[in-house]
Amino acid sequence: MHFPWTSTEVTDLPTVGTVVDAVTDLSRSEEAPGARLRIARRQAAEFRSEFASTGTPDSVVTCDLVTLPYPTRFGLFRASKALAPFLSITNRMQVIRWTDSGGRKRVLLFEPSDHELGRYTPYFDTLAQRTPGFLERQFVTEHGTVLGHLARLGIEPAEVDYLLFDHLHTQDLRRWVGTTAFQDDLGQTPEAAFPNAKVIVQRDELVAMADLHPLQKPWYQPGTYSDVPAEAFLPVNGSVVLGPGVAVMKTPGHVFGNQSLVVNTDTGIWVSSENVIATEALVPEHSKLPGLARWARAWQQEVVLNANTIETTADQYNSIVMEKALADRSQADPRFLQFFPSSELTGAWTNPGTKPTFTHGAIRHGAQPA
């Protein structure tokens, strides 16, 4: 199997959004990493006021999808002293609705993971094969499906305009956007569940998937894109505003084309990505997780990375600092920020020493389901 598009074909695809001039792609800068860090802080401060003036979306609703195991040494980098080799993370979808300048209603799904097919990602597939079924059931909890949540919210799949992921690790999109040929493993040629939706992705990531580095290969399923139509994608270069209070920020490092969701709400600005797995990873000095505060102090580091792939570690650190500078303080506990991990650390009896100090659980804004 091979990735279906060349870098030239990716460049020729249409795009979306209004470019954020205040923020540049620092991963391409010739400045030293320390200088890029200072620039990241300054650019985040400049964008905060600009972004707040765009308004707010109509609503943001959070939907739990699946809780699954994840290596502690990845999720909490080198900081954790927990005895448990695995922790638990809960993957959640955000359903964001806004009205554009022309009066048209828009629907964006952030992290609408098809976790049934995502489990065949090489790393997780290997882990599942090594784990007895009865033990796997102790670690994996399915809370709901993308389509099931939308039905509960009264949203027809045809109403969805955009699908957005912070990056394409584990993602198999065939059932969401359809394919042009029969899929042997699915036993069908799947029609698009979201016939009018486009996938917003950084061009860098689409290009990188055409020729994966060994560090990247355990986390992608490039073969599943072989028959996905190119027109299903809207690649962006860098950071863009999509609508009132809704933006995509390029935050490279975890992967070259990493991106973060930024939303302006009744409680201020939220940022969401998988650059870290807990909001306390942005303020480890307030963490009660074993080892985090001491490690951050000893190594003079202000954040704790999610580091399953270390593609460009300094860039990831700088991106997290930018996210940290953008997010407002939590109204529930102002020691912590309104950073919402797209896969959030979740306490579990099976994983001693990994219970988070503070969790958000959801972003709530505007009209909420009964």
Side-chain angles (χ1 to χ4, degrees):
M1 303 293 283
H2 59 87
F3 199 72
W5 318 299
T6 66
S7 59
T8 300
E9 288 171 322
V10 169
T11 302
D12 289 341
L13 291 173
T15 189
V16 69
T18 303
V19 174
V20 177
D21 293 325
V23 179
T24 58
D25 183 358
L26 296 175
S27 66
R28 299 183 180 276
S29 171
E30 295 182 0
E31 300 281 357
R36 294 203 298 266
L37 177 59
R38 290 192 296 274
I39 295 170
R41 293 186 201 277
R42 186 183 72 239
Q43 291 187 351
E46 292 173 357
F47 180 59
R48 269 184 58 84
S49 58
E50 176 184 326
F51 179 63
S53 69
T54 68
T56 60
D58 299 328
S59 66
V60 182
V61 177
T62 302
C63 305
D64 291 7
L65 295 177
V66 62
T67 299
L68 69 164
Y70 190 64
T72 304
R73 70 183 187 276
F74 291 163
L76 297 173
F77 199 27
R78 300 164 177 163
S80 177
K81 295 295 183 183
L83 296 177
F86 289 90
L87 47 76
S88 291
I89 52 176
T90 299
N91 178 235
R92 298 183 173 101
M93 174 177 68
Q94 306 295 332
V95 180
I96 302 148
R97 289 184 265 197
W98 72 88
T99 305
D100 67 20
S101 58
R104 180 173 175 176
K105 299 291 184 180
R106 297 289 188 178
V107 179
L108 178 147
L109 307 183
F110 180 60
E111 293 297 310
S113 299
D114 186 347
H115 54 77
E116 184 180 357
L117 297 183
R119 65 172 296 167
Y120 297 110
T121 301
Y123 175 83
F124 288 110
D125 190 34
T126 300
L127 181 63
Q129 292 178 27
R130 295 175 178 174
T131 305
F134 75 91
L135 189 58
E136 181 179 0
R137 288 189 291 273
Q138 299 296 321
F139 284 92
V140 178
T141 303
E142 296 183 2
H143 305 287
T145 65
V146 170
L147 295 176
H149 282 301
L150 292 180
R152 177 177 59 86
L153 296 172
I155 298 174
E156 294 291 334
E159 297 178 70
V160 175
D161 298 282
Y162 306 113
L163 308 179
L164 174 68
F165 302 89
D166 45 20
H167 58 292
L168 294 177
H169 277 182
T170 78
Q171 303 302 334
D172 182 337
L173 305 179
R174 289 176 293 171
R175 297 201 291 203
W176 290 171
V177 300
T179 68
T180 58
F182 186 85
Q183 304 297 292
D184 291 337
D185 61 321
L186 301 181
Q188 61 175 320
T189 304
E191 296 184 3
F194 300 106
N196 300 314
K198 302 293 185 181
V199 181
I200 299 172
V201 62
Q202 294 291 326
R203 292 186 192 274
D204 283 2
E205 188 168 26
L206 280 184
V207 171
M209 287 177 67
D211 190 9
L212 291 175
H213 186 277
L215 286 172
Q216 300 171 308
K217 288 182 178 179
W219 304 100
Y220 284 103
Q221 299 192 71
T224 66
Y225 292 77
S226 294
D227 300 312
V228 169
E231 57 269 22
F233 292 87
L234 290 175
V236 296
N237 282 319
S239 303
V240 297
V241 174
L242 297 175
V246 184
V248 178
M249 299 292 295
K250 186 172 185 182
T251 50
H254 184 71
V255 304
F256 293 109
N258 210 81
Q259 55 189 3
S260 303
L261 171 72
V262 187
V263 290
N264 189 29
T265 73
D266 296 333
T267 63
I269 295 173
W270 287 81
V271 183
S272 184
S273 79
E274 204 178 85
N275 273 321
V276 303
I277 65 164
T279 189
E280 64 200 86
L282 298 181
V283 285
E285 65 272 19
H286 298 308
S287 176
K288 295 181 180 178
L289 286 165
L292 258 70
R294 179 178 295 182
W295 179 87
R297 188 167 55 249
W299 286 90
Q300 301 181 57
Q301 298 193 19
E302 64 178 286
V303 297
V304 178
L305 284 63
N306 173 23
N308 62 322
T309 57
I310 309 176
E311 292 191 13
T312 51
T313 308
D315 285 328
Q316 184 177 356
Y317 188 104
N318 293 352
S319 290
I320 297 169
V321 169
M322 177 174 281
E323 293 173 316
K324 181 176 179 177
L326 280 170
D328 279 309
R329 294 279 171 180
S330 168
Q331 294 189 353
D333 188 335
R335 295 177 302 165
F336 301 98
L337 299 169
Q338 289 188 157
F339 180 89
F340 192 81
S342 53
S343 292
E344 187 177 35
L345 179 63
T346 305
W349 67 269
T350 50
N351 310 323
T354 65
K355 181 180 179 180
T357 309
F358 177 84
T359 58
H360 291 297
I363 302 175
R364 300 178 180 86
H365 168 74
Q368 298 291 302

